[in-house]
């Protein structure tokens, strides 16, 4: 009880209340605009949060992170264009409802499912916090190094079909982090006698370049399109009642979101597809999925909104971000000398609980805002892409320059902006670079600290948690190698069956290959769902 009161005392400030309001409303607006997304917004806001108290800055960023998925459902349902990448699966059943004249029902159901997923995950984590407080101190330098290594491996292996390029980009991020003064003896590395490289390449400069500037370039080179949206009539409260008719789907989907969110490098996409697959297989009407199924919409929206709170677990408990957005938040901690990790749970448990309570309040504020302001909110979908591009470009350069009043940082950000633009045009991942920079720095420091007491290789994993993490790493690598081998085998079978499709056995192999390709294609299409242009298939 004392912990709860102490946490509420941290939140009972006018600036925290304002941060809750700005984060919740701003995140919904950002999510509702196709082509921007939370990563761009958080990257632009990062320099401003450095002058705020940690709880205020993190509340704003958490608000944008969590509420953007609510807003992203609006264009996904109304114009078949996901507002954020994780709302791609929402289009499968949300837009067919709109074409049937059930847009109000679809939005109401999406809001309700998102609210349930967000509240469910926060409550789970509040109940789980005491356990984390006991487990976190068991992590020493070696355990954190292995956890960071596992995070990089999971991020790389999660990019199915792009594993090698994801690994190369993660290594690039690790290399970029080594530029400048090394953290122990402060000797120069890879500076080439250039004074501006002595302090290293700032993470925020890279983030703004890869996410904000690259997206601005993408928006500017596109064309503006006119979007017609029909005004919604009636209230949006019926989704709360309809959600109650599918408690099993909602609970299981939220559970998938919590579990997947706590695993670094996995995130919303895996949680969504596991939830959607479960809902379809357990449904009495599986044929409706992809054609306007309420269960499919619940599964997609519940699972993705359960992830943000869960993603804070590895960040707060171990100081290890699971994806790009939590990596950006990590920089806010460091600027204010608040170090996430075991000591945070031991010494500042009230601060951790305050963040969870802030997420709880944010979900309530977002739902109330959406239930009463959706008709006004849908107008932001009509904002021209090029105007958005100019705004993002201007704000990005202002943010970069304000970090250190350095024109050199603006040049470096532009270079990374071009790199990010090229990667997006080639449909290649950007996230591994950021996580490589963040996790690479953690791995280097913890490895050096851990090696001080290591005499043999086995000494590095002679403790229970270190051994478990090591075995998990081996298991992940083994499963990935097996999957690559099966994919290779399937390709060989497909080539043979194409040659011999006239035979019965060859035709069977060809049907099997087409079925598997269709299932995997759903994941690929969702991952590559564009945020930079509006769909030509408009209502």
């Amino acid at each position: 009880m004392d912990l709860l009161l102490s946490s509420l005392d941290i939140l009972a400030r006018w600036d925290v209340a304002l941060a809750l309001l700005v984060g919740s409303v701003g995140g919904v607006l950002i999510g509702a605009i196709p082509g921007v997304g939370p990563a761009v917004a958080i990257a632009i806001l990062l320099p401003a949060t450095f002058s705020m108290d940690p709880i205020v800055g993190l509340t704003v960023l958490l608000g944008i992170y969590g509420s953007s998925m609510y807003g992203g459902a609006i264009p996904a349902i109304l114009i078949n264009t996901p507002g954020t990448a994780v709302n791609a699966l929402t289009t499968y059943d949300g837009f067919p409802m709109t074409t049937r004249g059930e847009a109000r029902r679809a939005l109401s159901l999406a809001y309700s499912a998102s609210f349930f997923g967000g509240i469910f995950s926060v409550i789970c984590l509040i109940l789980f916090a005491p356990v984390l407080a006991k487990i976190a101190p068991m992590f020493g330098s070696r355990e954190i190094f292995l956890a960071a290594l596992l995070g990089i491996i999971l991020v790389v292996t999660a990019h199915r079909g792009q594993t090698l390029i994801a690994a190369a980009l993660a290594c690039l991020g690790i290399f970029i982090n080594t530029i400048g003064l090394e953290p122990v003896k402060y000797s120069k590395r890879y500076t080439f006698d250039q004074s501006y490289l002595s302090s290293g390449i700032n993470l925020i400069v890279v983030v703004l370049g890869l996410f904000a500037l690259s997206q601005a370039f993408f928006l500017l080179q596109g064309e503006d399109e006119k979007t017609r949206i029909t005004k919604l009539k009636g209230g949006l409260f019926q989704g709360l009642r309809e959600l109650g008719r599918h408690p099993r789907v909602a609970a299981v989907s939220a559970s998938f979101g919590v579990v997947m969110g706590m695993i670094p490098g996995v995130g919303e996409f895996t949680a969504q597809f596991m939830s959607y697959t479960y809902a379809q297989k357990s449904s009495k009407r599986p044929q409706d999925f992809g054609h306007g199924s309420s269960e499919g919409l619940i599964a997609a929206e519940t699972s993705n909104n359960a992830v943000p709170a869960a993603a804070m677990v590895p960040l707060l408990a171990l100081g290890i971000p699971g994806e790009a957005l939590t990596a950006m938040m990590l920089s806010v901690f460091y600027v204010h000398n608040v170090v996430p990790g075991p000591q945070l749970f031991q010494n500042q448990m009230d601060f951790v609980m305050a963040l969870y309570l802030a997420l709880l309040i944010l979900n309530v504020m977002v739902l109330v805002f959406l239930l009463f302001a959706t008709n006004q909110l849908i107008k932001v979908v009509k904002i021209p892409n090029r105007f958005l591009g100019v705004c993002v470009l201007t704000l990005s350069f202002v943010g970069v320059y304000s970090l250190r009043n350095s024109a050199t940082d603006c040049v470096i950000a532009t270079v990374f902006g071009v790199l990010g633009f090229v990667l997006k045009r080639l449909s290649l991942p950007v996230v591994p670079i950021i996580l490589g920079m963040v996790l690479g720095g953690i791995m280097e420091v913890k490895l050096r600290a851990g090696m001080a007491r290591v005499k043999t290789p086995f000494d590095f994993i002679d403790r229970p948690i270190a051994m478990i993490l090591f075995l998990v790493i081996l298991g992940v690598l083994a499963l990935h190698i097996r999957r690559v081998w099966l994919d290779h085998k399937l390709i060989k079978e497909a080539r043979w069956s194409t040659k011999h499709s006239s035979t019965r056995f060859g035709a069977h192999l060809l049907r099997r290959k087409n079925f598997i390709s269709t299932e995997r294609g759903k994941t690929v299409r969702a991952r590559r769902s564009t945020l930079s242009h509006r769909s030509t298939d408009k209502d």
Side-chain angles (χ1 to χ4, degrees):
M1 189 64 183
D2 292 338
L3 177 63
L4 181 61
L5 292 175
S6 178
S7 303
L8 290 173
D9 186 57
I10 293 175
L11 295 177
R13 294 165 39 185
W14 71 268
D15 51 354
V16 176
L18 182 61
L20 286 168
L21 179 63
V22 171
S24 58
V25 176
V28 172
L29 290 171
I30 292 298
I33 303 174
V36 182
V40 175
I42 290 176
I44 292 173
L45 284 175
L46 268 180
T49 59
F50 291 163
S51 60
M52 304 176 184
D53 285 347
I55 186 65
V56 179
L58 286 169
T59 299
V60 172
L61 300 184
L62 277 175
I64 292 173
Y65 180 22
S67 60
S68 63
M69 298 176 194
Y70 282 86
I74 295 174
I77 290 171
L78 296 181
I79 60 173
N80 201 28
T81 303
T84 72
V86 297
N87 293 110
L89 202 60
T90 306
T91 61
Y92 286 17
D93 294 289
F95 186 67
M97 286 186 179
T98 299
T99 58
R100 295 201 305 252
E102 300 176 355
R104 181 170 62 87
R105 175 192 170 211
L107 284 174
S108 177
L109 195 57
Y111 297 160
S112 303
S114 297
F115 176 74
F116 177 81
I119 296 296
F120 181 91
S121 64
V122 174
I123 292 174
C124 285
L125 295 173
I126 289 175
L127 297 175
F128 191 53
V131 180
L132 281 176
K134 294 179 180 178
I135 296 176
M138 300 179 185
F139 280 75
S141 297
R142 286 173 272 176
E143 287 80 6
I144 294 178
F145 167 80
L146 290 170
L149 178 60
L150 176 61
I152 286 186
I153 291 173
L154 287 170
V155 168
V156 170
T157 56
H159 291 86
R160 190 167 185 176
Q162 297 178 319
T163 305
L164 291 178
I165 190 64
L169 292 172
C171 290
L172 174 63
I174 294 172
F175 170 74
I176 292 171
N177 184 71
T178 63
I179 296 174
L181 299 177
E182 55 93 9
V184 177
K185 297 181 179 180
Y186 298 104
S187 58
K188 293 183 179 180
R189 299 186 300 194
Y190 307 113
T191 59
F192 305 103
D193 293 326
Q194 301 297 316
S195 58
Y196 65 89
L197 291 176
S198 297
S199 58
I201 296 179
N202 192 289
L203 173 65
I204 308 307
V205 174
V206 178
V207 165
L208 281 164
L210 287 176
F211 288 95
L213 288 179
S214 65
Q215 190 64 27
F217 297 154
F218 214 106
L219 292 169
L220 289 170
Q221 61 90 37
E223 294 183 0
D224 294 333
E225 297 179 8
K226 294 183 179 180
T227 305
R228 183 177 61 84
I229 299 177
T230 304
K231 187 176 181 179
L232 302 175
K233 296 180 181 179
L236 291 167
F237 292 90
Q238 70 180 52
L240 294 169
R241 294 191 298 270
E242 188 170 358
L243 181 68
R245 294 198 288 269
H246 304 285
R248 175 182 48 80
V249 173
V252 172
S253 299
S255 300
F256 275 128
V258 171
V259 175
M260 294 298 107
M262 288 191 291
I263 303 174
V266 179
E268 294 91 349
F269 283 108
T270 304
Q272 275 187 313
F273 282 98
M274 290 179 71
S275 303
Y276 195 84
T277 302
Y278 167 81
Q280 186 174 22
K281 289 184 177 179
S282 61
S283 175
K284 295 180 180 178
R285 297 184 59 83
Q287 68 276 11
D288 291 346
F289 280 68
H291 302 283
S293 168
S294 58
E295 291 176 280
L297 187 58
I298 290 171
E301 284 296 302
T302 303
S303 56
N304 67 22
N305 278 271
V307 170
M312 297 300 292
V313 170
L315 178 69
L316 295 173
L318 303 176
I320 297 174
E323 37 77 53
L325 298 180
T326 48
M328 297 181 202
M329 294 179 200
L330 185 62
S331 63
V332 180
F333 281 99
Y334 286 154
V335 164
H336 294 283
N337 293 319
V338 178
V339 181
Q343 297 300 319
L344 186 65
F345 273 77
Q346 285 183 305
N347 304 328
Q348 294 179 272
M349 191 61 194
D350 55 345
F351 180 82
V352 175
M353 191 63 70
L355 287 177
Y356 285 150
L357 291 176
L359 277 170
L360 196 68
I361 297 169
L362 279 166
N363 278 280
V364 176
M365 294 177 67
V366 170
L367 181 66
V368 173
F369 174 69
L370 286 171
L371 289 177
F372 292 100
T374 295
N375 270 322
Q376 289 70 37
L377 183 62
I378 59 179
K379 296 176 182 178
V380 303
V381 177
K382 300 179 181 180
I383 298 177
N385 285 345
R386 291 180 179 176
F387 176 75
L388 284 175
V390 171
C391 292
V392 171
L393 191 69
T394 304
L395 292 173
S396 299
F397 278 121
V398 170
V400 172
Y401 188 78
S402 66
L403 285 173
R404 296 185 290 195
N405 296 329
S406 171
T408 303
D409 284 346
C410 294
V411 175
I412 294 174
T414 304
V415 171
F416 281 100
V418 173
L419 174 62
F421 176 74
V422 172
L423 291 175
K424 287 182 179 181
R425 289 300 299 266
L426 297 175
S427 298
L428 297 177
V430 176
V431 173
I433 299 177
I434 300 300
L435 292 182
M437 287 187 67
V438 176
L439 296 179
I442 294 172
M443 288 168 61
E444 180 181 6
V445 173
K446 297 302 178 182
L447 179 62
R448 286 188 165 188
M451 289 299 290
R453 298 181 181 179
V454 172
K455 296 181 180 179
T456 66
F458 181 76
D459 290 343
F460 204 84
I461 54 172
D462 62 352
R463 294 191 291 211
I465 294 180
M467 177 62 74
I468 291 171
L469 289 170
F470 179 70
L471 293 176
V472 171
I473 289 173
L474 292 181
V476 170
L477 291 175
L479 289 174
H480 180 69
I481 292 171
R482 179 178 179 273
R483 188 174 66 184
V484 171
W485 181 79
L486 290 175
D487 288 346
H488 177 69
K489 184 179 178 182
L490 178 64
I491 291 172
K492 288 181 68 176
E493 289 178 352
R495 288 173 180 171
W496 186 89
S497 61
T498 302
K499 280 186 178 181
H500 303 82
S501 57
S502 58
T503 66
R504 185 176 180 182
F505 180 63
H508 165 72
L509 288 177
L510 187 60
R511 286 194 300 273
R512 177 170 171 262
K513 174 253 183 185
N514 290 336
F515 171 76
I516 295 175
S517 298
T518 301
E519 292 299 311
R520 290 176 181 168
K522 293 179 181 179
T523 304
V524 174
R525 285 195 300 273
R527 285 185 181 277
R528 296 184 177 180
S529 179
T530 178
L531 298 179
S532 60
H533 65 280
R534 292 177 171 81
S535 172
T536 54
D537 185 12
K538 292 185 174 60
D539 184 22

